[in-house]
Amino acid sequence: MTAATFGTYRLDGELGRGGMGIVYRAFDTELERHVALKVLPAALSADPDFRERFRREARAAARLTAPQVVPIHRFGEVDGQLFLDMRLIEGMDLAALLRANGPLEPRRAVAVITAVAAALDAAKAQGLLHRDVKPANILVAPATADAPESAYLGDFGIARSIDPSDRSRLTTTGNTVGTLAYMAPERFTSGQVDHGVDVYSLACVLHECLTGGKPFPGEGALAMMHAHCYLDPPVLGGPLAALGQVITRGMAKNPADRPASAGEFAAAAQRALTAEPADPPTTRTPPTRSPLTHVMTRPAGRSPLVWIVPLASVVVAAILVVALVVVPNLAVPGTATPKPGGDQAGQATSCSQDKGTLTVGVIAPLTGPISSYGRGIRNSAQLAVDQANERCAVQGYKLVLDARDDEARPEIGAQAATALAGDATVVGVVGTLNSSVAQETAPVLAAKTIAQISPANTYPELTRGPENSPDRLHDNYFRVCATDDSQGPFAADHLAGEGKTRVAVVTDGKAYGERLGAEFERRAAANGMTVVAREIVRDNDFGGALPRIKAAAPEAVYFGGEYPQGGPLAKQAADAGLAVPVVGGDGIFAKEYLSLGGRDGDLATAVGAPAAEIETAADFVAAYEARGFGESFSAYGPMAYDAANVIISSVAATVGDGDWDPGLRPHLLTAIGAHTGAGATGPLGFDEHGDTTNPTLTVYEVRGGQWHTARVGTANR
């Protein structure tokens, strides 16, 4: 197989991926050296504003020459796609090291922190903040015969000038960039930041190095923000007490009470190791009242999320959303979660819409072989929008739906996301269907802080990052469905319960299918099953694979892919005399699978519970049928309906009786993250990653040429 290339680089393997691109182990064929190559998403590379910010960011980071900073060799673009060429550090990141080995011995932890502090001070000398200091951005190279263990600070990808007049500041107005678990309080409040934010993050990292856990693990974004702003750091006792005092000072709520530099913080940690007295932690008076009970004055005519507060009171505007969303006595008119599918008794039938329109976007395949799914998503979202207008959900505004066809192709999805991102009236996007498309749309929408809620993306890395990283990949991305690391195990558990011991696995080679297959294999092995054959087939011709599969004598064939391939696989397997069930994920759960070759006994898992069989969806089903869309709501319609309603009710809470402005989008994301309520699919809510807190799954079986429910439940990952 010929190695993949990118310009003059040979790509030797993927090192990791995040919200701003993929990092490869690569070989520079011009300079003949191994490098770490960061390739940014095509959609972002095509954005003129982002391209300018990227070039400024790369030039700023390239000025850093400290040995503890991962150096940038060069940057540029290949065929319109931006890249960064960086030094390849052989080792592992600190997050992976802590997951693998647990807490570090104190001297080792302080040595790592000292190296990172040197990098931060070098950046400070150049007038730069890092703003995303966390274990995943710290690379640890193991000791060799010639050198001790070394630590390096990487990913200055959101670095920013400290000088507020500097035109090279790299973020757009209203965006808060960083990783929530390590962000200083002022990042959520005043927004006026200096080097103190990096000191605060470094203190959080030291705590994690010593304990193996974050200072404020939190149950969701709001809990973590509240903790950073109002709670004292956990007290470390015993042999870690002296270092705990250093951490407490580094995490002071008031930036002026923290060490003056990262180097000063590291020096204090060094003194604590040798029991030399460190500077005493700053004494702070914690808030004596709940942050929701501070006296606040609202300017006339403004959104309820914009407040005048005493400067001495540290109040997080995002936390105010709690009062609007989850505290019943503070409800804003029009913000209640609607009864699924039903018109609201007693609601006004007409209302003013003189403030204009707000747009709910949809990105889904509306044409092509799997368009039945996409049209069901679009129609269900349209139903939610229509009902919202009927009950005057957002005061003064009419809601409209802008549905974009992604053709189930990532590059088309990126174009659709770019178009929606350019519309200031867009309040959120429902979609996508395909996880591979979402990998392109999420960063585009994130660049404009636009919420995306998927009814169907099941690829785990979209929320949890590679290898279930504890760091959320995109703060704007949510989903109301379970994931492949639940679907695959759920199917394996079902087959094991039926006494199956030998299975074959076939995938389509795409992200969705490969992850589905891998998770199925993992649970199958744990259940004592044997995978007797493994094939990747990228088209509809299974003639080469089926003889090998049949010879292996499986009792079932698990397929990771979608129904345009799954149906032909079932038919060709029957024609070849392979009389065993084909089992798949939600990608084959469609009536089209049956017409393409699905047979009695075949099985499919699907996210959610069957809408026709659960009480909470009855009103949605009735309302959908009454609208006369002329086509099924498909497997994902109820979840698309719920996703749209979450966006709508959160917009109502965010805008109140004020005016919409794109600057409210960060507050809208907070409202979505805090949303709880009842939906067509059952209880609605999101965890700290943006995943649903209701990961229900169903196994369906083909009987008499139709899909029938076989089992409903959840699967442990």
Side-chain angles (χ1 to χ4, degrees):
M1 179 182 296
T2 303
T5 60
F6 181 83
T8 60
Y9 297 92
R10 185 188 72 226
L11 305 182
D12 295 333
E14 184 176 317
L15 293 174
R17 66 172 64 219
M20 299 300 289
I22 303 174
V23 180
Y24 296 96
R25 176 186 292 271
F27 183 73
D28 183 341
T29 59
E30 281 188 337
L31 300 178
E32 297 186 344
R33 62 182 176 185
H34 294 279
V35 301
L37 186 71
K38 185 171 185 176
V39 179
L40 281 71
L44 287 180
S45 297
D47 184 327
D49 291 338
F50 180 84
R51 290 168 66 87
E52 177 61 23
R53 293 197 301 272
F54 166 80
R55 292 184 182 282
R56 292 172 179 168
E57 154 197 311
R59 291 190 189 101
R63 296 201 305 265
L64 301 176
T65 59
Q68 300 86 2
V69 175
V70 178
I72 293 177
H73 296 148
R74 60 179 173 176
F75 61 91
E77 61 182 275
V78 173
D79 295 331
Q81 196 160 4
L82 299 169
F83 72 88
L84 282 171
D85 174 334
M86 300 170 286
R87 177 183 170 188
L88 179 64
I89 305 295
E90 297 290 354
M92 63 195 309
D93 66 66
L94 180 59
L97 186 65
L98 292 171
R99 287 197 299 271
N101 301 328
L104 303 185
E105 184 272 330
R107 290 189 180 278
R108 187 182 183 194
V110 172
V112 169
I113 293 303
T114 300
V116 176
L120 291 173
D121 283 354
K124 179 185 175 185
Q126 294 287 339
L128 293 176
L129 304 178
H130 188 283
R131 296 196 302 156
D132 199 20
V133 178
K134 61 182 179 180
N137 284 339
I138 299 169
L139 303 177
V140 180
T144 67
D146 302 319
E149 180 179 77
S150 303
Y152 302 85
L153 181 59
D155 203 351
F156 275 80
I158 61 169
R160 196 197 83 166
S161 171
I162 299 174
D163 181 0
S165 66
D166 188 348
R167 295 183 65 248
S168 69
R169 292 176 64 174
L170 304 182
T171 56
T172 56
T173 301
N175 288 350
T176 299
V177 189
T179 303
L180 199 59
Y182 309 92
M183 289 172 69
E186 60 268 31
R187 299 290 305 280
F188 309 122
T189 54
S190 68
Q192 300 300 311
V193 300
D194 60 13
H195 60 273
V197 301
D198 287 342
V199 172
Y200 185 96
S201 299
L202 191 61
C204 293
V205 172
L206 179 55
H207 181 281
E208 190 166 349
C209 286
L210 295 171
T211 67
K214 300 175 179 64
F216 303 122
E219 293 295 333
L222 265 294
M224 276 193 283
M225 281 190 261
H226 175 263
H228 282 300
C229 290
Y230 293 100
L231 302 185
D232 288 330
V235 175
L236 302 185
L240 298 180
L243 283 168
Q245 290 185 0
V246 175
I247 292 169
T248 296
R249 186 181 175 208
M251 293 182 64
K253 306 304 182 192
N254 185 345
D257 293 336
R258 298 172 201 152
S261 68
E264 182 179 313
F265 173 80
Q270 292 280 1
R271 292 195 298 272
L273 282 177
T274 59
E276 182 179 334
D279 294 336
T282 302
T283 301
R284 299 189 312 277
T285 302
T288 58
R289 294 179 289 177
S290 163
L292 297 180
T293 62
H294 282 289
V295 177
M296 304 173 188
T297 305
R298 182 177 145 204
R302 294 299 306 275
S303 159
L305 289 177
V306 181
W307 302 88
I308 298 175
V309 300
L311 290 178
S313 300
V314 184
V315 179
V316 184
I319 292 177
L320 299 178
V321 177
V322 177
L324 301 172
V325 178
V326 300
V327 181
N329 292 333
L330 295 177
V332 174
T335 66
T337 301
K339 180 181 178 183
D343 294 331
Q344 304 298 296
Q347 294 287 332
T349 56
S350 62
C351 51
S352 171
Q353 297 177 337
D354 58 352
K355 293 183 180 180
T357 61
L358 297 178
T359 302
V360 176
V362 168
I363 302 177
L366 305 179
T367 58
I370 57 174
S371 58
S372 63
Y373 288 143
R375 293 194 299 272
I377 290 172
R378 176 198 62 194
N379 296 345
S380 300
Q382 183 67 65
L383 175 62
V385 166
D386 291 346
Q387 290 177 339
N389 286 329
E390 290 167 6
R391 66 177 185 273
C392 310
V394 183
Q395 294 183 57
Y397 287 97
K398 177 181 180 180
L399 296 168
V400 297
L401 193 78
D402 186 351
R404 303 278 175 149
D405 183 10
D406 63 27
E407 302 177 22
R409 295 166 57 193
E411 66 275 17
I412 303 300
Q415 294 172 14
T418 300
L420 290 172
D423 183 349
T425 71
V426 171
V427 293
V429 173
V430 177
T432 61
L433 171 68
N434 302 87
S435 295
S436 57
V437 177
Q439 288 176 311
E440 292 294 331
T441 61
V444 174
L445 297 173
K448 298 293 185 180
T449 327
I450 297 175
Q452 176 178 353
I453 307 181
S454 173
N457 294 159
T458 56
Y459 190 50
E461 277 78 352
L462 284 167
T463 47
R464 297 191 292 276
E467 299 181 1
N468 289 323
S469 164
D471 298 322
R472 187 172 177 181
L473 198 58
H474 301 292
D475 287 342
N476 69 311
Y477 180 87
F478 304 82
R479 54 179 151 205
V480 292
C481 60
T483 54
D484 296 335
D485 51 358
S486 295
Q487 275 204 86
F490 198 60
D493 290 347
H494 184 78
L495 291 179
E498 292 189 333
K500 307 294 188 188
T501 61
R502 297 171 58 84
V503 293
V505 176
V506 181
T507 64
D508 61 2
K510 298 178 183 177
Y512 163 78
E514 283 300 309
R515 184 57 186 264
L516 206 61
E519 293 297 335
F520 174 85
E521 287 185 75
R522 180 179 61 81
R523 182 59 66 87
N527 288 338
M529 304 165 72
T530 302
V531 177
V532 296
R534 181 67 159 89
E535 301 281 347
I536 297 177
V537 179
R538 302 180 188 276
D539 54 29
N540 286 4
D541 184 0
F542 297 90
L546 282 170
R548 294 189 293 271
I549 294 172
K550 184 178 180 182
E555 297 169 292
V557 175
Y558 188 81
F559 175 62
E562 296 168 316
Y563 69 76
Q565 272 187 277
L569 169 61
K571 182 179 186 304
Q572 292 172 43
D575 293 343
L578 187 58
V580 299
V582 171
V583 185
D586 54 347
I588 71 169
F589 178 57
K591 65 181 186 298
E592 289 83 0
Y593 171 82
L594 305 175
S595 63
L596 289 170
R599 305 160 295 170
D600 280 8
D602 288 353
L603 301 167
T605 57
V607 294
E613 300 176 27
I614 57 174
E615 183 179 352
T616 55
D619 290 331
F620 161 75
V621 173
Y624 187 96
E625 293 175 350
R627 292 298 167 111
F629 286 109
E631 51 196 349
S632 168
F633 50 72
S634 79
Y636 306 104
M639 285 172 282
Y641 176 81
D642 282 349
N645 273 321
V646 169
I647 291 172
I648 292 165
S649 63
S650 299
V651 169
T654 303
V655 174
D657 60 0
D659 296 331
W660 167 255
D661 183 272
L664 292 176
R665 284 171 175 163
H667 304 307
L668 176 56
L669 292 183
T670 305
I672 291 172
H675 182 95
T676 58
T681 58
L684 296 175
F686 304 99
D687 67 13
E688 67 271 22
H689 299 289
D691 282 325
T692 179
T693 54
N694 180 29
T696 303
L697 293 160
T698 302
V699 174
Y700 294 91
E701 182 178 4
V702 181
R703 295 195 296 266
Q706 299 293 327
W707 290 110
H708 294 274
T709 304
R711 176 188 175 199
V712 178
T714 59
N716 295 323
R717 297 182 188 133

